[in-house]
Amino acid sequence: MAKEPPAKPAAESQEPAKKGLPIKTIGIVVVLLVAEAAAMFFILGATGKPKETEAAHVDPHGAGKSDKGALVELNVVKERFPNNSTGRPWIWDAEIVVQVKGSESERIQGVLESRAAEIRTGIGRIWRTAQQAHFNEPGLETLTRQVTAFLDELLGPDAEGHSQLKRVLVARCVGFPSDY
């Protein structure tokens, strides 16, 4: 008879089992991803498309001025105001413009014309009491805020309780020392 190979000890006879890919885990992850994608597709499809938008045509030359909701610019004051806050007299050439709704422009223009002296006096007081730093601000924020508060108080609120002014613009504010 043929010789049989000697028997291996028990510890060597059991070879470690080769570990393969975790097929079950991969299958579960793939099923969950497909289910999530399908759920998102149906949920987003059920909510509908976003609303269509359309760009509005803006006429740069202002040909369509019949719109009552459009902003209209009204001149408030164009004057020279003194200021001595630094100890040196300055004259500030200022122009102030307000933006209002087109539907309110005629009424506000009437108020601005009928109370022109009061407006010049109030704005002159703001310019005379302003500090030099207020004139050096890049956007003249402090002066604009003070003029806005003054004009809001003068005009009063609209029917809804809001300011009638949409914006106050200090169109020009150029200072010249006057002690030459």
Side-chain angles (χ1 to χ4, degrees):
M1 297 214 247
K3 268 186 163 181
E4 291 186 27
K8 294 183 180 176
E12 289 181 17
S13 66
Q14 297 177 357
E15 292 185 18
K18 291 184 181 179
K19 293 192 176 185
L21 292 174
I23 301 294
K24 191 183 250 186
T25 306
I26 292 173
I28 292 171
V29 169
V30 168
V31 169
L32 288 174
L33 287 173
V34 169
E36 182 181 3
M40 291 300 291
F41 177 76
F42 288 117
I43 289 172
L44 293 176
T47 58
K49 294 181 181 178
K51 294 180 181 178
E52 295 291 327
T53 58
E54 189 174 310
H57 176 69
V58 178
D59 186 9
H61 303 293
K65 294 200 182 215
S66 63
D67 186 14
K68 293 291 186 182
L71 293 180
V72 176
E73 292 183 352
L74 302 175
N75 290 325
V76 176
V77 70
K78 184 177 180 181
E79 189 135 349
R80 293 184 177 154
F81 299 109
N83 180 281
N84 296 326
S85 65
T86 61
R88 183 177 184 192
W90 283 74
I91 300 294
W92 291 91
D93 188 16
E95 180 179 2
I96 298 173
V97 177
V98 293
Q99 289 181 338
V100 297
K101 285 184 183 177
S103 59
E104 298 289 322
S105 64
E106 291 178 20
R107 189 182 60 73
I108 292 175
Q109 181 67 36
V111 172
L112 293 176
E113 289 173 0
S114 68
R115 299 177 81 176
E118 182 180 358
I119 292 170
R120 280 196 317 270
T121 302
I123 294 174
R125 185 179 307 119
I126 292 170
W127 251 251
R128 284 189 301 276
T129 60
Q131 298 174 8
Q132 187 67 23
H134 298 162
F135 295 108
N136 293 331
E137 293 174 344
L140 301 170
E141 292 87 4
T142 303
L143 293 172
T144 302
R145 188 174 53 251
Q146 290 176 352
V147 170
T148 302
F150 170 72
L151 291 174
D152 275 341
E153 183 180 320
L154 184 84
L155 295 171
D158 63 2
E160 298 172 351
H162 298 90
S163 173
Q164 296 186 43
L165 305 175
K166 296 303 173 194
R167 193 167 174 202
V168 173
L169 306 168
V170 179
R172 181 177 53 211
C173 186
V174 180
F176 305 99
S178 64
D179 59 347
Y180 290 114

